[in-house]
Amino acid sequence: WGWWVSWSPVVGMFIARISRGRTVGEVINASLTGPVLYTFCWFAIFGGAGLRMERAAVIDGCLGQCQVIANSVPFDSKYCKSTNNLRRAWQGQEDQDQVRLDLFLSRRPQGCQEIKQLSMLPLDQMWFDVLHQYKSIGPFLIAISLLAMVLSVVTTNDSGSILLNIIASNGTMKGNA
């Protein structure tokens, strides 16, 4: 909530400046609808990708009975009990271990070192691993992501300096501002 309190003057001044000539209803509608739709799409797309990546890592790690996965991270096998349904499907086959290993290697040809379990990674590495799972466009998405982060910081600092300028000049706007 501290972030909201500290940036509410900046956001308020920004919305007031760009909303000149619009009705209060239009401003409220635009300032609520846009961010909610954007956030919904963001979490649906990237949250779903992260959950899919985590679930695949747990299933494959349990199948391969991995102890250590990519980047020498220990595999968290506490969820392996949920893969018992897969083991039940193999009952009656003579060599369950070989069937499980064949299934694991068909999913992960490079073995346990290919698995990235998001819940076991540092927070700052998770985002890039989610983007990197898209092999063909992963590096492009990472570059776009870094560019967006830089633009966000630059825009935030620019907005803060404009607000300080407006406050220092008692709201009078001279020149092209």
Side-chain angles (χ1 to χ4, degrees), residues 50-71:
L51 288 172
R52 183 174 53 87
M53 187 175 175
E54 178 75 12
R55 188 164 190 258
V58 168
I59 290 172
D60 292 346
C62 292
L63 281 175
Q65 297 178 342
C66 299
Q67 301 298 318
V68 176
I69 54 178
N71 302 327

Side-chain angles (χ1 to χ4, degrees), residues 7 10 14 148-162:
W7 280 100
V10 175
F14 173 75
M149 289 177 199
V150 168
L151 288 176
S152 173
V153 170
V154 169
T155 304
T156 302
N157 289 333
D158 187 44
S159 299
S161 65
I162 289 173

Side-chain angles (χ1 to χ4, degrees), residues 37-53:
L37 289 176
Y38 179 80
T39 303
F40 177 78
C41 290
W42 180 271
F43 282 111
I45 294 168
F46 292 110
L51 288 172
R52 183 174 53 87
M53 187 175 175

Side-chain angles (χ1 to χ4, degrees), residues 11 20 23 43 52-54 77 79 87 112 118 123 127 139 154 159:
V11 172
R20 201 163 276 156
T23 66
F43 282 111
R52 183 174 53 87
M53 187 175 175
E54 178 75 12
S77 61
Y79 299 110
R87 290 192 186 113
C112 293
L118 291 178
L123 188 60
W127 171 246
V154 169
S159 299

